[in-house]
């Protein structure tokens, strides 16, 4: 366990600094890796043209219609834009992570920005296995609201809105009932 100040980018960079392996994997706390994940990561990174990658995305229970919609949205996002997020288990060679300067010290969209930079280095692999992610926030705040907030944050970031402002807006929008 590595202790540091709040902030996902700061926390992931602190973990990376303490890591000693040839590869690193970053995963959101509410997500679970698939069985055999280490072998899948190693096999993916054995290809020189692969700069990193992430697993597929599965959210919540397959028995829930809402959870199936969340899963479909996450999979579509990855298929359309080839930009995995931390809830998919981002992995990278340690040297490439260091060369990229780690995760940018911004309060939101740090995994998105890192994935863009990682994709510029080479191909992003997608092993044939899914990370399972909790849907607690979606159920707590509502499917439409969570989707709208996430899309607006992504759109705002892509339009050049300051990540500090986006993070504050996201906290406010997510806490309102």
């Amino acid at each position: 366990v590595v202790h540091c100040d709040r902030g996902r980018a700061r926390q992931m960079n602190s973990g990376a600094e303490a890591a000693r392996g040839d590869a690193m994997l970053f995963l959101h706390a509410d997500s679970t890796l698939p069985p055999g994940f280490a072998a899948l990561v190693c096999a993916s990174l054995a290809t020189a043209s692969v700069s990193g990658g992430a697993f597929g995305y599965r959210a919540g229970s397959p028995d829930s219609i809402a959870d199936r919609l969340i899963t479909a949205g996450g999979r579509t996002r990855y298929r359309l834009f080839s930009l995995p997020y931390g809830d998919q288990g981002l992995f990278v060679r340690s040297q490439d992570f260091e060369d990229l300067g780690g995760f940018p010290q911004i309060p939101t969209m740090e995994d998105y920005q890192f994935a863009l930079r990682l994709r510029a280095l080479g191909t992003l692999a997608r092993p044939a296995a899914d990370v399972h992610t909790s849907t607690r926030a979606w159920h707590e705040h509502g499917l439409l609201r969570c989707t709208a907030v996430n899309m607006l944050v992504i759109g705002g970031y892509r339009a050049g809105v300051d990540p500090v402002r986006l993070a504050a807006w996201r906290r406010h929008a997510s806490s309102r009932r």
Side-chain angles (χ1 to χ4, degrees), residues 92-115:
V92 60
R93 287 181 195 86
S94 299
Q95 186 61 56
D96 289 338
F97 181 82
E98 188 175 311
D99 291 347
L100 289 172
F103 287 93
Q105 293 293 333
I106 54 178
T108 191
M109 303 300 292
E110 71 290 329
D111 50 358
Y112 177 88
Q113 182 59 43
F114 182 78

Side-chain angles (χ1 to χ4, degrees), residues 6-176:
R6 292 184 68 165
R8 203 161 51 195
R10 182 175 293 114
Q11 293 165 349
M12 291 187 293
N13 287 334
S14 293
E17 190 176 309
R20 298 291 173 248
D22 293 332
M24 297 182 194
L25 187 141
F26 301 91
L27 184 71
H28 288 182
D30 64 350
S31 300
T32 306
L33 290 164
F37 73 90
L40 293 168
V41 168
C42 289
S44 296
L45 293 177
T47 302
S49 62
V50 170
S51 59
F55 293 93
Y57 180 84
R58 183 170 51 94
S61 168
D63 298 330
S64 164
I65 292 171
D67 291 357
R68 288 198 309 258
L69 288 171
I70 296 165
T71 296
R75 288 178 175 175
T76 300
R77 176 198 74 214
Y78 187 66
R79 190 171 35 257
L80 289 176
F81 303 110
S82 297
L83 284 173
Y85 293 179
D87 57 6
Q88 289 179 255
L90 284 168
F91 57 86
V92 60
R93 287 181 195 86
S94 299
Q95 186 61 56
D96 289 338
F97 181 82
E98 188 175 311
D99 291 347
L100 289 172
F103 287 93
Q105 293 293 333
I106 54 178
T108 191
M109 303 300 292
E110 71 290 329
D111 50 358
Y112 177 88
Q113 182 59 43
F114 182 78
L116 282 174
R117 294 183 3 237
L118 185 60
R119 186 175 68 182
L121 284 182
T123 303
L124 296 182
R126 189 208 171 281
D130 293 338
V131 162
H132 183 249
T133 298
S134 168
T135 55
R136 180 193 52 79
W138 297 87
H139 291 288
E140 195 173 288
H141 301 291
L143 178 62
L144 293 177
R145 184 180 189 168
C146 278
T147 300
V149 166
N150 288 340
M151 293 186 82
L152 287 169
V153 169
I154 293 167
Y157 184 77
R158 291 181 58 94
V161 176
D162 180 11
V164 172
R165 187 172 175 194
L166 288 171
W169 179 81
R170 174 182 265 165
R171 278 190 304 276
H172 176 73
S174 296
S175 65
R176 293 177 56 206

